[in-house]
Amino acid sequence: MAFDSAREELRLLSKHNELVGKYQRIESENETLKQTNKLYFLFFAISIGIAVLLNGLRLREHRLAKHDVLTNTLSRASCIRKVKSTPECEDENSRNVLLLFDLDDFKSINDEYGHPTGDRALIEISKSVKTLLKSRDRIGRLGGEEFIVLLKECEELDIFDRVKAIHNRIADTRFTSESGVSLKITASMSYLSTPSSLHDFDALYSILDQALYQAKENGKNCIIDAYNEPIYLDPTAYASTQP
């Protein structure tokens, strides 16, 4: 009888130990699973973070490709694409206007006050011109101190007033040298207006460039209507850089 009782106790103890062992194994497996889940979650979070970062870098790279880094105007290539994609005007009383301007004696600003001051001039003038543009209009930097402005679907009667306003705004824009000197600069300007599409940018730019050369010859700080004012070109004018 005592032997049977002892054997039963031994069996129960063995069963208890077996259950304890299973419980411990389950606990261990659960802990391992928790750690694995944490690693999966961490990996997932890192992957999401990397994806967001890469996407942000791609967007920034795309924006930098579209915009001039210094002035935040459209880059040369992006601006030319915008101009070329401009369709003909829908309203018979509207015109697409292209305006080319070059800052007068800009080199003297760089030479006398330094390139950082020249950069400030470009930045401040870009900002000033933007305040006069409508949401559909665009400004781009073609290079150096040369900019092009696109005024889409501009009322024909308003064209010269808008061009003149941009010219005056540039002349009124102040910027400061690194030594604290308050400065201003003027611009020579040419423009053309047409109800047609602007897909042939090279031809349009050539017309504007020749008219801009005439503006410089006329004494700078003036506006030339490239389609309607006489252009008297010196042979050297044809040596100017084309886009």
Side-chain angles (χ1 to χ4, degrees):
M1 186 72 177
F3 175 76
D4 290 338
S5 178
R7 187 170 62 179
E8 181 63 18
E9 288 181 4
L10 183 62
R11 186 183 69 79
L12 291 175
L13 180 61
S14 177
K15 188 68 174 178
H16 172 75
N17 290 337
E18 182 181 346
L19 291 174
V20 170
K22 286 183 179 181
Y23 176 79
Q24 290 175 341
R25 284 195 300 272
I26 291 172
E27 283 293 302
S28 177
E29 290 172 357
N30 285 340
E31 186 62 28
T32 301
L33 184 60
K34 287 180 183 179
Q35 293 299 325
T36 302
N37 287 338
K38 286 181 180 179
L39 289 174
Y40 279 139
F41 178 79
L42 180 61
F43 176 76
F44 179 75
I46 292 173
S47 298
I48 293 295
I50 291 174
V52 170
L53 177 62
L54 290 176
N55 186 59
L57 290 174
R58 280 194 295 267
L59 290 174
R60 182 174 183 273
E61 182 179 351
H62 181 64
R63 175 172 175 76
L64 289 176
K66 289 180 62 179
H67 290 80
D68 178 66
V69 176
L70 177 65
T71 63
N72 199 33
T73 59
L74 290 178
S75 68
R76 178 190 185 90
S78 182
C79 186
I80 291 174
R81 284 195 299 270
K82 287 287 185 183
V83 173
K84 286 184 173 182
S85 65
T86 302
E88 65 181 24
C89 295
E90 296 181 0
D91 187 337
E92 63 179 12
N93 296 316
S94 295
R95 298 290 183 269
N96 290 318
V97 180
L98 270 185
L99 187 158
L100 183 69
F101 72 85
D102 184 271
L103 301 181
D104 297 325
D105 302 315
F106 183 74
K107 184 177 182 299
S108 65
I109 296 290
N110 284 332
D111 291 345
E112 185 171 353
Y113 298 99
H115 287 276
T117 299
D119 289 345
R120 289 180 185 177
L122 297 174
I123 292 168
E124 293 305 317
I125 287 169
S126 298
K127 288 179 181 177
S128 293
V129 172
K130 283 181 180 180
T131 63
L132 298 176
L133 302 184
K134 298 181 180 180
S135 59
R136 61 176 176 260
D137 301 332
R138 296 290 183 270
I139 178 173
R141 184 184 179 198
L142 294 180
E145 65 272 25
E146 186 177 70
F147 293 80
I148 193 163
V149 177
L150 169 62
L151 308 177
K152 292 185 178 181
E153 298 275 352
C154 182
E155 287 289 332
E156 189 171 11
L157 294 176
D158 295 338
I159 291 173
F160 185 75
D161 287 342
R162 293 197 64 192
V163 171
K164 184 65 174 176
I166 292 173
H167 187 258
N168 290 341
R169 182 60 60 85
I170 292 171
D172 291 339
T173 299
R174 289 192 174 274
F175 54 96
T176 306
S177 72
E178 293 208 299
S179 59
V181 178
S182 179
L183 300 168
K184 294 197 295 185
I185 194 169
T186 60
S188 297
M189 224 174 245
S190 63
Y191 75 96
L192 58 81
S193 62
T194 175
S196 304
S197 72
L198 305 180
H199 69 277
D200 193 353
F201 177 83
D202 291 343
L204 295 172
Y205 178 86
S206 179
I207 295 168
L208 289 170
D209 191 45
Q210 292 172 34
L212 184 62
Y213 183 89
Q214 184 67 59
K216 295 287 188 181
E217 289 292 295
N218 289 356
K220 306 177 182 178
N221 189 25
C222 61
I223 303 169
I224 294 289
D225 182 342
Y227 275 166
N228 297 305
E229 294 186 44
I231 308 296
Y232 305 103
L233 290 177
D234 185 273
T236 58
Y238 293 100
S240 59
T241 303
Q242 300 295 319

